Amino acid sequence: MTEPPESRLILFAALAANLGIAIAKFVAAALTGSSAMLTEGFHSVVDSLNQLLLLYGQKRSLRPPDQHHPLGYGRELYFWSFVVAILIFSTGAGLSIYEGILHIRDPEPMRSPVINYIVLAVSLMLEGASWGIAMREFGAAKGDQGWWEAVRLSKDPPSFIVLFEDSAAIFGLFVAAGGITLSIVTGDARWDGVASVVIGLALAGVAVALARESKGLLIGEPAEPALEEAVRAAVMRRPEVTGINEITTIHIGPRNIFLGLSVDFENEFPVGRIEVMIAETETELRARWPSIRAIYIKPQAKA
């Protein structure tokens, strides 16, 4: 049971970028007294922690089934994805808004703004590189679907979480640059605090969207309708089958699906033949769709 390698590539690229960016932002904030830069530093630290949590969640989700969790641990990734959304909201957005309000109430004059611009430019290049990797991998995975539709239907949270985080980070860099510039041009350092508040509100919006998607996966979402129809067609081709009453699918991980079938069989076939047919069907379904990890077929004789 493996996770898609593109997810790990996206996470490692984002982690490497954010660790370097966080250090640079904190140094710049200490040298210049910029609230927006300090906020951006917090943002990068939270992003780094988020990537570590998602990597941890991926590793934990790969554990095989046992007597306590007969369907495996795939949903643990969804749990950690939800935790990441909470961290973005409480830590990233909360600290940004709090720091911004403090700076608006008690503004600190800007010092050495050139350092801020240099750090912002370097950060933009690193974030842009990470964002480009996330966009390329997610774009390849989404196929012909629209971007938002692909996010809603995706069962692999790291792929779209990093994309959302990087997009918010790039937006935040431009806002921070705008706040610093307005502070210099107007001589009013409160603009730097306003930029922090705007960054915090953007992070809060991202966090709410991610929490909503992660919650749906954690509760349990079905497989794509196309897969259910293909499974229905494959089972209906068996001569012993006269109908399918119900198909239930639930994602228990990005590439792990539980499948339940209620099947009508011809009465003329003996129980032994039905048992063989069920075993053959399970083997065929797993061979054609490796993501189907657990199969439950409930036989029901034709009335």
Side-chain angles (χ1 to χ4, degrees), residues 32 110-118 180 184:
T32 65
M110 189 74 61
R111 305 186 302 270
S112 304
V114 174
I115 295 176
N116 282 331
Y117 287 121
I118 293 174
I180 292 169
I184 296 171

Side-chain angles (χ1 to χ4, degrees), residues 57-77:
Q58 279 189 335
K59 182 178 180 180
R60 297 278 294 179
S61 69
L62 298 178
R63 289 179 296 168
D66 55 33
Q67 65 181 36
H68 298 294
H69 297 86
L71 295 180
Y73 291 80
R75 283 191 181 179
E76 187 154 352
L77 177 59

